Amino acid sequence: MRPKWGSGAHHQSYQSLEEAVADGCRLCTQLQRKLEDNDWDRDSLFEVEYLYNDRDLAAPTLSLLWNGPDSWCKKVWDLLPVRQDNVQKKYLAKANYYCTSSTGSKESLVLANLWLSTCIRDHTQCDRPQPSSLRDWRPTRLLHVGNGVNGIRLCEGQTIPVGVKYTTLSHCWGKGLKRKNLTRHNIDAWTKAVPDCELMQTFKDAAEVTRKLGVEYLWIDSLCIIQDSEADWLHESSLMCNVYKYSHCTIAATAAANDDSGCFADRDPQLDMPIQFDFSNFAPQSPLQSVTKDRADKVRDTTLKGLYEVHKSGLWRDEIGSSPLFARAWVLQERLLSPRLLHFAKSQLYWECSELRACENYPRGSSTDGYIPLGHDTASLFKVQRELSEKFTTPHSSVRLMLQKLLRWRIRRSKSLDREVLEDWSWIVEAYTNSRLTQERDKLIAISAVAREMKPIMQCRYLAGLWENDLVKQLCWFTTEKSASVILSRPTAYRAPSWSWASVERKCLIRRFCPANPIIEIRSAHIELAGEDEMGPVEGGYLDVQGRLFKLDPQGKRQGVNGEYVLFEGLSTGLELLKDDSRTEIDGQLYCMILLISVGDDSVEISGLALQRLGSSNIYQRTGLVRSCFGRNPDWEDPIIGLLGDIKTGDDDTCTSVRNDSGRKTIRIV
């Protein structure tokens, strides 16, 4: 039986580490890379110890304890015990595959084809059958890549066969490049041949992968949408849902920051693939300096020994979640809607579909022993979100599961709407707004395909990023500084009403409540669309809201947990103001309209809109969110409770809020 936890000394000096690297120790070479990534001071005290933990975890892990001026402890590796009868076997028993020095090698694409063929043959959850109403549908334009002999040409309309099999490309355009774009001037010539397509390395690589996957057609946004036609761009963006949903496979240039970089990456198989390491050869063990003597004796007795396969931890987080591609907002809907994704990351290939997440390190997902590495969740993509573990380490991964759940609900439920559906939408908005857009105008368009997929489930109007059902709760969004884009909170050009999260340029969180009592009534909601697409860009919109309007006065330097405290009708309360743009001062009188009260077993949560009047009219604009959470008695005596209504306690000790209807008025929020 292997030990549950323990520690061991390794290198006491950097010189010792360098000597081990020079001798060819792959584990020490990986360690040196980690140290260099942390920009450590070579002249500082150097000592590294290993921490081993196999208690209450899905897999044993190996961490580094860095003893120096800036000490840190980081989980670096996951461990897989190697059975003696398996020592000489290759990790992946697949003919013609072995790890090479390039992710674009024919050997790597053997594995990609294995994942693809297995998915098509065996996976029941990954198919996207076209309904009878879309039986003859195919993308407006596709690139015919053929066998590579006759080059690439653009196909459109009836020249594309019904039931066509095609791949799609998910990529970063990049800046400052001499781009290859489809325009009104070259579209006719491109139907004969797309000249110099190979000059864009990512396009060249995507065409090669498409052929190697046995597919003849490829869809690339910049080559299949007329880039100098606003009408064509809006029309094609409304079809993006179908383009990705019915693709054979999406090729993701995950590690490429621009289209000059290409899909493929060079690598060192000796360092980027799993290492077999015998821990019995470690230096004599020494306990950690921070543990007691009794525990130190136990540590010595439980030191890790034997042969293990050592895998880098956090692969999905480091190579997918932190990649250039995943900082791009458009990729969210591309990833959620695609039935299959093949990622070309910086050190290996990764695979995603509804039944498998795998990579070259873990080609079958989890091992035959049921081993699930931390940071690499391989659970079914059809599990309900709240049943999932907390092992998601990449943006969108839990969101992808939610959308799969919603697609399943679309089949099962046609008339009912569960609170979980709106909560899932709030998770999607959070992931989306934490990404970057090059064009401000794309805010609603770049998520429109996901909204279009959810529309039949929601069974209500889509209002510039919010759903009419349970709209009051969705108005309770707020911005956070932890955003991928650091620019002005509201864009210079109009994009959405101020009450929509799409009107700001920061990561947004939508409050999730216990059952809540709305304090306001939305009398009407209006959106002025820029075109005919309900999910597309908007030119205006307003809400007519009836409720009680209160004066709000910030208290300057008096800060709460999340924002600054405010006076509510001149009274000191527990309300905090979370401004939509915390870096700017708000001039003029602020007003507040409380949206709802949520009463829990031992607390009361209040949320409302911070508003500014536009001129002398009855029209207001949102500037932030006010909220507070009060504990049970005596905090319920806060003056705001008396102004809004009352809290009643029932015989069973349950609590409800009673609304105060005096002084209500109707205002318009734009």
Side-chain angles (χ1 to χ4, degrees):
M1 180 179 293
R2 62 176 183 262
K4 292 295 183 182
W5 60 280
S7 70
H10 192 33
H11 290 289
Q12 304 300 310
S13 70
Y14 187 72
Q15 180 181 356
S16 171
L17 178 67
E18 285 185 314
E19 291 172 355
V21 171
D23 288 340
C25 178
R26 294 161 61 190
L27 195 67
C28 293
T29 303
Q30 286 191 4
L31 168 57
Q32 187 182 50
R33 282 186 177 182
K34 280 289 181 183
L35 294 174
E36 291 173 349
D37 290 343
N38 282 270
D39 194 26
W40 61 282
D41 181 5
R42 291 196 179 195
D43 295 328
S44 63
L45 171 67
F46 185 93
E47 184 180 3
V48 174
E49 294 187 77
Y50 289 92
L51 304 181
Y52 169 72
N53 193 350
D54 191 18
R55 298 185 302 180
D56 304 321
L57 297 173
T61 65
L62 193 65
S63 304
L64 295 179
L65 179 65
W66 162 248
N67 293 322
D70 299 314
S71 295
W72 49 265
C73 182
K74 186 176 181 66
K75 184 172 78 71
V76 181
W77 295 290
D78 297 317
L79 304 178
L80 181 63
V82 177
R83 297 190 299 268
Q84 289 301 315
D85 61 345
N86 246 359
V87 171
Q88 302 301 324
K89 291 185 179 180
K90 289 185 179 295
Y91 186 72
L92 178 67
K94 169 64 181 174
N96 301 321
Y97 171 79
Y98 59 91
C99 182
T100 63
S101 59
S102 171
T103 58
S105 67
K106 63 179 182 180
E107 290 81 8
S108 294
L109 291 173
V110 164
L111 180 56
N113 270 292
L114 172 64
W115 286 326
L116 178 61
S117 60
T118 300
C119 178
I120 293 172
R121 184 185 66 244
D122 299 335
H123 294 176
T124 61
Q125 309 288 0
C126 301
D127 192 22
R128 298 279 198 277
Q130 293 181 209
S132 57
S133 59
L134 295 174
R135 182 175 52 195
D136 296 333
W137 181 89
R138 60 271 209 199
T140 305
R141 303 178 191 93
L142 286 172
L143 299 168
H144 183 263
V145 300
N147 56 14
V149 175
N150 298 318
I152 297 174
R153 60 183 173 85
L154 184 70
C155 300
E156 56 180 343
Q158 297 302 315
T159 63
I160 301 174
V162 174
V164 63
K165 186 165 65 173
Y166 64 93
T167 62
T168 46
L169 176 65
S170 181
H171 63 120
C172 290
W173 285 34
K175 296 181 179 180
L177 300 174
K178 189 175 181 180
R179 295 204 52 80
K180 199 81 179 168
N181 289 332
L182 180 65
T183 67
R184 288 173 293 181
H185 303 293
N186 61 23
I187 186 170
D188 290 337
W190 279 21
T191 58
K192 298 178 179 64
V194 180
D196 302 324
C197 191
E198 68 276 1
L199 296 180
M200 307 296 287
Q201 189 63 45
T202 299
F203 299 168
K204 179 182 177 182
D205 292 348
E208 180 181 342
V209 173
T210 298
R211 297 183 193 108
K212 294 291 179 59
L213 295 179
V215 180
E216 294 187 10
Y217 292 89
L218 167 65
W219 188 91
I220 301 176
D221 50 6
S222 57
L223 304 187
C224 295
I225 301 176
I226 303 174
Q227 298 300 309
D228 59 351
S229 170
E230 183 77 9
D232 190 70
W233 187 80
L234 288 174
H235 176 262
E236 291 302 309
S237 66
S238 70
L239 301 176
M240 204 81 74
C241 175
N242 289 344
V243 169
Y244 280 96
K245 185 166 66 171
Y246 298 130
S247 69
H248 191 61
C249 180
T250 291
I251 300 164
T254 307
N258 55 58
D259 287 331
D260 275 349
S261 301
C263 297
F264 309 145
D266 294 331
R267 61 186 176 187
D268 185 346
Q270 295 296 312
L271 296 177
D272 292 320
M273 292 296 108
I275 301 169
Q276 286 193 354
F277 192 86
D278 190 347
F279 287 87
S280 303
N281 297 329
F282 258 17
Q285 310 303 323
S286 63
L288 299 178
Q289 299 174 2
S290 59
V291 301
T292 63
K293 184 179 184 301
D294 290 343
R295 184 177 169 189
D297 291 337
K298 294 178 182 178
V299 169
R300 291 192 187 96
D301 293 339
T302 56
T303 298
L304 185 65
K305 295 180 180 179
L307 187 64
Y308 282 77
E309 196 163 68
V310 183
H311 298 250
K312 292 180 181 178
S313 70
L315 285 170
W316 284 82
R317 177 191 63 241
D318 295 340
E319 298 210 355
I320 306 297
S322 300
S323 67
L325 183 64
F326 273 60
R328 177 176 170 262
W330 282 93
V331 77
L332 175 70
Q333 66 178 17
E334 295 167 6
R335 187 185 188 198
L336 297 187
L337 296 170
S338 300
R340 307 169 190 91
L341 290 102
L342 177 63
H343 293 279
F344 286 84
K346 64 182 180 181
S347 76
Q348 57 185 293
L349 302 186
Y350 292 76
W351 174 265
E352 280 189 278
C353 66
S354 294
E355 296 191 30
L356 177 68
R357 292 176 68 199
C359 61
E360 289 182 77
N361 271 22
Y362 300 105
R364 298 183 182 89
S366 59
S367 75
T368 54
D369 294 325
Y371 166 74
I372 301 177
L374 296 180
H376 182 76
D377 181 77
T378 54
S380 166
L381 291 179
F382 280 76
K383 285 188 177 180
V384 177
Q385 186 271 337
R386 58 186 49 177
E387 294 176 348
L388 300 174
S389 67
E390 297 179 354
K391 299 183 184 121
F392 291 112
T393 56
T394 68
H396 319 159
S397 49
S398 57
V399 174
R400 179 177 173 86
L401 305 187
M402 291 175 210
L403 189 66
Q404 298 290 347
K405 178 184 68 176
L406 295 175
L407 294 176
R408 186 179 74 236
W409 283 1
R410 181 174 178 174
I411 299 173
R412 292 183 179 178
R413 308 163 66 237
S414 59
K415 295 184 178 180
S416 61
L417 180 68
D418 194 279
R419 183 184 67 178
E420 286 187 37
V421 180
L422 287 171
E423 289 182 352
D424 288 349
W425 175 251
S426 70
W427 284 106
I428 291 173
V429 169
E430 179 179 334
Y432 175 68
T433 57
N434 195 38
S435 304
R436 184 181 64 249
L437 280 169
T438 303
Q439 301 294 333
E440 290 181 349
R441 66 173 187 173
D442 293 348
K443 193 71 170 185
L444 287 169
I445 301 175
I447 198 175
S448 63
V450 179
R452 201 178 322 280
E453 196 64 37
M454 294 181 67
K455 169 78 173 178
I457 308 167
M458 293 302 192
Q459 303 176 15
C460 65
R461 287 193 297 160
Y462 182 69
L463 304 170
L466 288 76
W467 299 95
E468 192 170 26
N469 280 341
D470 225 359
L471 181 56
V472 174
K473 289 183 181 179
Q474 294 174 76
L475 292 173
C476 297
W477 58 265
F478 60 96
T479 63
T480 173
E481 298 291 342
K482 297 178 181 179
S483 174
S485 54
V486 185
I487 58 178
L488 291 177
S489 183
R490 294 194 189 276
T492 53
Y494 183 87
R495 195 168 64 190
S498 66
W499 42 265
S500 168
W501 53 263
S503 67
V504 298
E505 201 57 59
R506 291 194 180 169
K507 179 179 179 180
C508 295
L509 307 178
I510 299 178
R511 298 290 295 144
R512 303 172 184 90
F513 296 94
C514 300
N517 295 335
I519 300 299
I520 66 165
E521 292 179 13
I522 298 177
R523 309 304 294 268
S524 64
H526 174 74
I527 288 294
E528 184 178 345
L529 299 173
E532 298 180 357
D533 184 8
E534 181 186 6
M535 280 71 184
V538 303
E539 294 180 345
Y542 62 81
L543 296 177
D544 286 336
V545 181
Q546 185 184 73
R548 298 186 67 193
L549 199 65
F550 300 95
K551 286 185 177 180
L552 206 63
D553 296 296
Q555 292 188 263
K557 296 182 179 179
R558 185 166 178 253
Q559 294 291 318
V561 176
N562 299 297
E564 60 181 301
Y565 284 114
V566 292
L567 295 176
F568 191 78
E569 287 292 314
L571 301 173
S572 179
T573 73
L575 279 181
E576 296 176 4
L577 170 62
L578 285 68
K579 293 189 290 187
D580 291 342
D581 187 350
S582 61
R583 294 170 295 180
T584 60
E585 296 296 328
I586 299 176
D587 297 326
Q589 179 64 55
L590 275 180
Y591 296 87
C592 174
M593 184 167 277
I594 298 299
L595 298 173
L596 52 80
I597 298 179
S598 177
V599 181
D601 292 337
D602 55 3
S603 65
V604 177
E605 186 167 354
I606 297 173
S607 293
L609 296 181
L611 304 165
Q612 275 192 303
R613 181 186 291 167
L614 300 180
S616 58
S617 64
N618 198 37
I619 299 176
Y620 294 78
Q621 183 179 49
R622 172 185 161 132
T623 60
L625 185 77
V626 293
R627 69 176 189 182
S628 184
C629 185
F630 305 100
R632 201 154 182 169
N633 292 329
D635 291 342
W636 285 358
E637 301 303 322
D638 190 290
I640 189 174
I641 299 295
L643 290 171
L644 295 175
D646 198 5
I647 304 295
K648 299 296 185 182
T649 303
D651 295 336
D652 58 355
D653 207 31
T654 59
C655 300
T656 58
S657 65
V658 180
R659 192 175 74 189
N660 181 353
D661 286 336
S662 63
R664 293 168 67 82
K665 62 180 296 186
T666 300
I667 65 171
R668 176 163 291 183
I669 307 174
V670 297

